[in-house]
Amino acid sequence: MRPLCVVSFLAIIYQCAHAQSTCPATGADCTYNKVAVKPATNNEPNRHYYIGGLFGIHERTNDAYACDNAPIREEELINLEAFLWAIDRYKSIHSNISIGGVAFDTCSRYQKTIEDILSFETCKIRVSDVNPPTPRNLLAYIGPGDNYDAMSSARLLKDMNKTQVSYGASTNLLSNKGETYDFFLRTVPSDAINIKALSTLISSTLNAKYVQVLHTKDDIGMAEYMKFKEEAASSGICIVYHSGFSADPSASEIMTIADAVFAKVKTRHVVVLAPESQAKKFLSEMKNRNPQKFTQLIFFGSWNPRAIEGLEVNAYTTSLQSPSNYDTDVNSFYLHLDNLKPGENSKNRKWYEEYFRSKVGCNSLNCDYTNKTILGNYQKSPHVPYILAAVKAVIQGVKNGATKACTSGDLCSNYLNVNNRGQQIYTGIINTTDLSVPYFQTSGSMKGDASNSLSNLKILLYDASKSESIEVATYNPSSGLQLEKTITAYSSSCPSSPCLECNELPVTTTSTASPTSRVTVSTTTDPTEGGKYALLRFPYNEEMTGIFPPSGSRDLYDTRFKTGQRWIIALGVLAGLGVLAVLIFEVYILYKLLGTRIGRQWRTMWLGQLLLLGIFLSYLTLFAFIVIPTDVTCGITRFGVGFCYSILFAVLLVKLMVLLTSKSSDSILADMESPNYLKGIYQFLMFMFAVGVQVVINVQWLIQVPPYAVKVTANYGGEEWICNHFTWQASMGWNDMQNFVRTPFENHLLSLLYIMFLILMTTIVAMKAHGIITNHRESVFIGIAAGFSIPVWIAWGLVGGLNRDNAYAHEYGDACIAFGLFATATLCLFALFLPKVRQLVNMGVEGIYLEDDRDTYYAGSVVMAPPSYKSRPSSMIYVNSGEYSNPVVIGNGDPNHLKHPGSMYSGHSAPVYTKRNDLGGSRVLRVTGDLTGKHPTERRRPVSEIGYSGYAGSYRKTRSESGGTLRKSRSERELGAL
């Protein structure tokens, strides 16, 4: 069994000589053969160096270990051969120095690219040769050509102080040096050049003023869109519609975007900023959706024209134009390639052998290569001249750096030192020129990008009628756009007139408004709309809320999950659990009320029931956030959030006022109805006033700005449905979220200022009432609910407000409002009702809660547990009014026989009720006020328990008491503010 080779944190480099083998503990003998090597011929340390190459030789597969079995990418294989050939071609530039090359197969994976570099640079793998490449003598890398691979490797190589020159990575994100891509260079034109060429063609040659833009949703697609938007604005082009799509869009996603594009078919010009494979799939699906409207469109992109072959549609595309000064070298390379046989010129190059066999149809190992060639069997790579330029620039740059750092021109130790060589080699390469023509731009925002001499583009027109591509123009940043053929300009117009999507204002001739009026009303009407709209002229800096043009037909009714907003899963689950919890609380309370006189309880229960209702409505409102905004859900969320909050905190505030007015005194004991609570009519009026203020605010908002769902451009560049409660300025337009004066979240937050006032007032009053122990110290729990709501509000308010520039700010805003409402409602639910349930569950046999404060005045009487508390109905305690008005405690005695304090009988077996000050720290029985002496004093006679008949002996025995037992009376005790 061959030993196992463990090389790094990723298991991508997994084989040594076609099998997994074990490296020694030092890792020094783990030879890596998945490379193509052109060895240096000199082994003196100061007389040779290597250039690394990063090429995606094999296609990307789902299995990271299946790279060798994946198909070979012809273009990348040709690029590899151009790299090795260029080292031979230009090595004479640096005389007396031997230059070698080593190329890694990245397998079209950025993870593999990073692993190859890191494993080689940290000596976890080595390449076998007489003069092998090492981290010390490998001075720069060429490639990779893929944008994501280049971005990943550039970050890593920057940390290693090694220069990287890409021949194909064109995203303008790589132009942002900062601290990320300091050592990144490229010889290929950036996307910014392609976009500039397309915008110039559209505006100056086709005279088109309106376009639609489609782009990928990733960082690269967004960067391309933002650059095109910038160029379009400077060229007078208006983007009437744009949308992002995923890297692998579903059929439904494509159909949704296609319908939106077809709805604006008058615009005709559609720019597609996407790689060739994605553009081809997207356009094919668009045609399937509506072939008739599809053929009316004209597309623009930087992809190969073959992406639209067979789609019967016209398209303008940009393509690389080989720099003329490399034509000779390019021709020499292809002549070399036509005659190249497997096994020649480089070691371990099994990829070319595999490719050659497939091209010439030679599958036998003993195949004779002598008379076989790949001439005419391959397509030339457009990146070959840029690879040649990259290799030549590196060799010249290393020579220039060595000449400056080392007196002899050799590679001295000071030059190869890890701490010194990075900036020296980079500076030498970026400042290199070829016959006074620079390779790279050396200053400005595009420093390190290809110079203008390497940034030539050609513009091709794919003619659907001829099914062929024709070169119609060229573009160079220095000389601009140069037409080679006459181009037919097709009409392009806006779907609406005036173009509201482009913030156009109608031209009016007369006005009936006064000169001081802020809005000018025209006497004309829009003929394109049948005269049903009046045309208004607003001041340039006018700010408007909720005003927008028609959004067209609705293209999607579904949940937000459809658009990738997965946070609604958590919201839906939590809201459902909240609804269930409220129902359980309510059922439990109703169960405890069974058998009681409900009418006597509502005086103190209705506030608790309203609080439960407010919490229940809060959870129900959350479900409106789950669907993609519609007119109905926008109205529900706009009104419902503030309304639910107002119910919650209005109830809490009224409860506190009730507690504050419940302090007992002798003067109120004569009140027959309720000495302990604010009158019900006053409670109701306070509640209605507190809720009514927020209701007026919400209703006024709904009337002045009717709720609508509108489609606007989100920060990430795609279009999203949002509610129309946002504010925009006339000069900036209504359809771009980046230009909003106030976002929907900010305006919604402003509508809740009154709720913030209620929360603050509730917290302050709760602090004032914290010492009142009425209703089992309810003021403490109200203070907890209101007080903890403040940090909850601060948290979701800051998250939503500070992320307005985030790519998905529209999701942040809605999610913060929704989860903020959930957190506040849940806090109120558990802070107010969990203690109540605990009190009900822990009532004693006699229905008396023994954990109340013993200093309350209301602990002065004892009552039997009402049937709602499920105590034994045969247990009964009577207390004469006034006689035992002080706190009492349970003494020792026989609990099976209860003594009425007014009875003539006495005995050692009866319980004894003693004042608190007699027994010190005894447990106090708390009861309600129906027997505390508030009833009129009546004359009583001592009677036995059997003959005792209540007040004035007016009681008449029932059939159930004919046996001489005590009356099974139902209690009049109030349950408190449930």
Side-chain angles (χ1 to χ4, degrees):
M1 176 179 180
R2 283 176 281 190
L4 183 65
C5 182
V6 179
V7 294
S8 185
F9 59 93
L10 292 176
I12 299 177
I13 301 178
Y14 69 102
Q15 287 187 352
C16 292
H18 293 287
Q20 294 185 356
S21 56
T22 301
C23 290
T26 61
D29 294 330
C30 185
T31 302
Y32 186 59
N33 294 324
K34 304 296 179 170
V35 292
V37 182
K38 178 176 284 296
T41 57
N42 192 322
N43 61 359
E44 296 182 32
N46 63 338
R47 290 293 183 90
H48 81 281
Y49 70 89
Y50 279 84
I51 303 174
L54 301 168
F55 301 93
I57 302 300
H58 290 89
E59 294 282 1
R60 177 185 175 92
T61 60
N62 293 329
D63 184 357
Y65 297 96
C67 179
D68 285 348
N69 299 323
I72 287 181
R73 298 173 62 190
E74 180 180 80
E75 182 177 325
E76 282 290 89
L77 184 71
I78 293 175
N79 293 339
L80 166 63
E81 296 303 329
F83 164 73
L84 298 173
W85 180 85
I87 294 175
D88 259 348
R89 179 77 169 185
Y90 304 124
K91 64 183 181 181
S92 59
I93 294 175
H94 202 171
S95 59
N96 299 323
I97 300 295
S98 176
I99 304 173
V102 54
F104 298 91
D105 177 16
T106 66
C107 295
S108 306
R109 284 177 173 268
Y110 72 88
Q111 299 96 332
K112 178 69 160 55
T113 305
I114 295 174
E115 175 64 13
D116 284 344
I117 296 173
L118 187 61
S119 296
F120 177 79
E121 295 289 339
T122 56
C123 299
K124 292 183 178 178
I125 60 174
R126 67 181 182 87
V127 178
S128 176
D129 198 72
V130 177
N131 303 311
T134 66
R136 177 179 171 82
N137 63 28
L138 196 156
L139 302 186
Y141 283 87
I142 305 297
D146 179 78
N147 283 320
Y148 283 110
D149 287 1
M151 292 169 69
S152 301
S153 57
R155 297 187 186 99
L156 180 60
L157 290 172
K158 181 260 180 183
D159 293 336
M160 295 178 173
N161 289 337
K162 290 203 174 180
T163 303
Q164 170 186 5
V165 185
S166 176
Y167 57 86
S170 59
T171 175
N172 49 326
L173 290 175
L174 288 165
S175 299
N176 303 326
K177 295 300 178 185
E179 298 179 357
T180 306
Y181 307 120
D182 286 354
F183 288 83
F184 177 83
L185 304 170
R186 57 179 162 199
T187 53
V188 68
S190 72
D191 288 337
I193 305 298
N194 286 277
I195 290 171
K196 180 68 175 179
L198 289 175
S199 62
T200 304
L201 172 72
I202 294 170
S203 62
S204 63
T205 304
L206 299 178
N207 297 320
K209 186 177 180 181
Y210 306 101
V211 298
Q212 301 186 66
V213 182
L214 306 178
H215 59 88
T216 54
K217 284 183 180 178
D218 55 15
D219 293 341
I220 294 176
M222 275 301 304
E224 286 188 88
Y225 168 70
M226 296 307 296
K227 186 62 180 178
F228 183 84
K229 183 179 179 181
E230 177 185 333
E231 294 292 342
S234 63
S235 302
I237 302 173
C238 173
I239 303 174
V240 300
Y241 172 80
H242 79 96
S243 179
F245 56 89
S246 356
D248 186 19
S250 63
S252 61
E253 181 182 2
I254 296 176
M255 289 179 185
T256 299
I257 299 175
D259 290 342
V261 172
F262 295 147
K264 298 176 174 60
V265 72
K266 288 182 178 181
T267 305
R268 299 203 69 175
H269 299 79
V270 182
V271 180
V272 182
L273 304 174
E276 178 183 334
S277 59
Q278 296 177 15
K280 185 172 184 176
K281 176 181 178 180
F282 197 92
L283 297 179
S284 298
E285 293 290 339
M286 279 188 68
K287 181 182 179 181
N288 295 336
R289 181 64 171 172
N290 193 325
Q292 182 179 1
K293 288 187 176 181
F294 180 80
T295 55
Q296 299 177 33
L297 302 174
I298 301 173
F299 292 96
F300 299 82
S302 57
W303 20 267
N304 194 297
R306 62 172 173 260
I308 57 171
E309 288 180 357
L311 297 182
E312 300 178 357
V313 70
N314 295 335
Y316 289 93
T317 62
T318 59
S319 180
L320 296 172
Q321 185 178 32
S322 177
S324 58
N325 55 325
Y326 282 92
D327 288 346
T328 301
D329 289 347
V330 170
N331 292 333
S332 298
F333 163 70
Y334 280 113
L335 180 63
H336 156 79
L337 185 64
D338 291 339
N339 295 290
L340 182 63
K341 300 294 189 294
E344 296 181 5
N345 301 329
S346 63
K347 295 184 177 181
N348 302 323
R349 198 163 60 189
K350 299 179 180 179
W351 306 316
Y352 182 76
E353 181 177 355
E354 179 184 347
Y355 170 76
F356 186 90
R357 288 178 180 276
S358 65
K359 282 296 181 182
V360 301
C362 186
N363 298 320
S364 172
L365 295 177
N366 298 322
C367 181
D368 184 9
Y369 301 139
T370 306
N371 298 321
K372 296 184 180 296
T373 177
I374 61 173
L375 176 64
N377 290 334
Y378 62 86
Q379 288 186 342
K380 295 182 177 181
S381 169
H383 292 105
V384 166
Y386 304 99
I387 293 175
L388 303 184
V391 173
K392 192 174 182 180
V394 168
I395 294 176
Q396 289 180 334
V398 171
K399 176 185 177 182
N400 294 343
T403 303
K404 185 175 181 180
C406 310
T407 55
S408 63
D410 292 342
L411 306 177
C412 57
S413 298
N414 181 56
Y415 186 57
L416 295 180
N417 184 278
V418 174
N419 297 324
N420 300 333
R421 67 184 179 187
Q423 193 61 48
Q424 293 183 95
I425 294 176
Y426 173 80
T427 302
I429 295 175
I430 195 174
N431 292 323
T432 300
T433 60
D434 184 12
L435 300 176
S436 300
V437 177
Y439 289 95
F440 310 101
Q441 299 188 34
T442 56
S443 62
S445 60
M446 299 178 68
K447 180 180 178 180
D449 282 2
S451 65
N452 291 345
S453 63
L454 294 173
S455 299
N456 299 310
L457 300 175
K458 53 185 177 182
I459 299 177
L460 306 175
L461 168 62
Y462 181 83
D463 191 340
S465 60
K466 300 178 181 179
S467 298
E468 63 178 2
S469 296
I470 307 169
E471 184 176 337
V472 295
T474 60
Y475 180 83
N476 183 272
S478 300
S479 56
L481 187 71
Q482 303 292 328
L483 287 179
E484 296 186 0
K485 293 183 180 296
T486 303
I487 298 178
T488 303
Y490 294 91
S491 61
S492 173
S493 60
C494 185
S496 59
S497 179
C499 192
L500 299 177
E501 292 84 348
C502 299
N503 307 318
E504 292 183 2
L505 295 174
V507 178
T508 59
T509 55
T510 60
S511 173
T512 59
S514 63
T516 59
S517 175
R518 299 191 67 195
V519 179
T520 302
V521 183
S522 171
T523 57
T524 63
T525 54
D526 186 355
T528 63
E529 299 291 345
K532 67 179 180 179
Y533 292 118
L535 305 183
L536 305 178
R537 186 187 295 274
F538 289 93
Y540 187 79
N541 60 348
E542 178 77 10
E543 292 183 1
M544 291 163 282
T545 301
I547 302 174
F548 59 94
S551 294
S553 59
R554 182 79 181 191
D555 56 359
L556 186 61
Y557 286 97
D558 214 321
T559 65
R560 292 176 187 252
F561 186 83
K562 190 76 171 181
T563 60
Q565 300 184 37
R566 291 179 171 81
W567 56 268
I568 67 165
I569 299 177
L571 182 66
V573 171
L574 293 175
L577 291 176
V579 169
L580 183 61
V582 172
L583 294 177
I584 291 174
F585 276 122
E586 181 64 17
V587 169
Y588 181 75
I589 290 174
L590 293 177
Y591 169 72
K592 287 295 185 180
L593 287 173
L594 291 177
T596 64
R597 297 177 181 177
I598 302 297
R600 294 293 302 272
Q601 305 295 344
W602 280 111
R603 176 161 45 89
T604 55
M605 288 183 56
W606 75 279
L607 283 174
Q609 293 299 298
L610 274 180
L611 182 60
L612 269 182
L613 175 63
I615 296 172
F616 185 72
L617 292 177
S618 298
Y619 290 134
L620 291 183
T621 302
L622 296 179
F623 289 102
F625 288 94
I626 294 178
V627 300
I628 295 173
T630 64
D631 296 351
V632 175
T633 60
C634 286
I636 292 175
T637 56
R638 192 194 296 182
F639 181 86
V641 171
F643 180 68
C644 292
Y645 276 131
S646 66
I647 292 179
L648 298 181
F649 292 101
V651 168
L652 297 185
L653 193 57
V654 173
K655 274 177 169 282
L656 288 172
M657 298 307 297
V658 170
L659 294 176
L660 285 172
T661 59
S662 67
K663 292 183 178 180
S664 301
S665 66
D666 294 337
S667 60
I668 65 173
L669 288 178
D671 183 0
M672 286 282 295
E673 184 177 354
S674 175
N676 300 331
Y677 298 103
L678 190 68
K679 287 182 178 293
I681 185 63
Y682 299 144
Q683 297 179 31
F684 177 76
L685 291 176
M686 288 180 62
F687 171 79
M688 292 303 297
F689 176 79
V691 173
V693 175
Q694 185 63 35
V695 170
V696 170
I697 293 173
N698 291 344
V699 170
Q700 181 185 17
W701 195 15
L702 290 173
I703 293 174
Q704 290 185 337
V705 184
Y708 291 107
V710 295
K711 181 176 280 190
V712 301
T713 300
N715 288 340
Y716 73 86
E719 290 203 333
E720 294 285 348
W721 286 97
I722 67 172
C723 296
N724 67 319
H725 41 275
F726 52 81
T727 302
W728 55 279
Q729 193 176 66
S731 60
M732 301 301 294
W734 64 271
N735 63 338
D736 196 336
M737 190 176 291
Q738 290 182 334
N739 299 328
F740 285 175
V741 178
R742 286 192 300 274
T743 64
F745 172 81
E746 292 167 335
N747 274 340
H748 207 153
L749 195 61
L750 288 176
S751 74
L752 299 176
L753 286 176
Y754 172 69
I755 302 300
M756 301 179 197
F757 169 76
L758 281 183
I759 296 175
L760 183 61
M761 287 298 299
T762 304
T763 305
I764 294 174
V765 176
M767 294 172 63
K768 174 69 175 176
H770 76 282
I772 300 176
I773 50 81
T774 301
N775 200 25
H776 312 304
R777 293 189 179 275
E778 189 176 33
S779 60
V780 174
F781 301 107
I782 294 176
I784 291 174
F788 279 94
S789 294
I790 295 177
V792 168
W793 272 62
I794 293 175
W796 67 260
L798 289 178
V799 172
L802 297 180
N803 283 281
R804 67 167 296 165
D805 296 328
N806 187 277
Y808 297 93
H810 58 286
E811 293 186 32
Y812 275 91
D814 289 347
C816 286
I817 293 174
F819 284 107
L821 178 60
F822 169 80
T824 306
T826 303
L827 184 60
C828 292
L829 177 65
F830 288 99
L832 271 299
F833 286 95
L834 274 185
K836 179 62 65 177
V837 171
R838 179 174 176 270
Q839 293 157 13
L840 296 181
V841 171
N842 287 280
M843 285 292 181
V845 173
E846 302 301 334
I848 301 170
Y849 187 52
L850 298 177
E851 294 188 13
D852 286 320
D853 193 290
R854 64 193 63 186
D855 294 326
T856 175
Y857 182 91
Y858 303 106
S861 58
V862 182
V863 294
M864 162 194 169
S868 61
Y869 289 162
K870 306 303 177 187
S871 62
R872 290 194 289 260
S874 61
S875 299
M876 180 93 178
I877 299 176
Y878 292 95
V879 179
N880 285 342
S881 61
E883 183 175 354
Y884 290 92
S885 59
N886 290 323
V888 295
V889 298
I890 299 179
N892 295 325
D894 184 5
N896 297 321
H897 181 72
L898 298 179
K899 169 183 172 294
H900 170 245
S903 173
M904 297 174 56
Y905 298 99
S906 62
H908 296 290
S909 62
V912 179
Y913 301 95
T914 312
K915 293 184 180 180
R916 176 175 60 85
N917 54 10
D918 294 333
L919 295 179
S922 302
R923 301 177 68 192
V924 177
L925 296 177
R926 177 174 179 180
V927 297
T928 56
D930 53 27
L931 294 175
T932 58
K934 65 180 180 179
H935 303 290
T937 304
E938 298 183 40
R939 186 174 180 181
R940 306 209 176 191
R941 294 177 302 174
V943 294
S944 67
E945 283 87 346
I946 296 177
Y948 187 72
S949 58
Y951 293 109
S954 61
Y955 173 68
R956 182 178 180 181
K957 290 183 180 180
T958 62
R959 181 179 303 177
S960 63
E961 300 178 38
S962 58
T965 61
L966 290 174
R967 164 171 164 70
K968 298 179 180 179
S969 169
R970 70 171 79 230
S971 172
E972 301 299 329
R973 183 187 183 207
E974 298 167 355
L975 299 182
L978 295 175

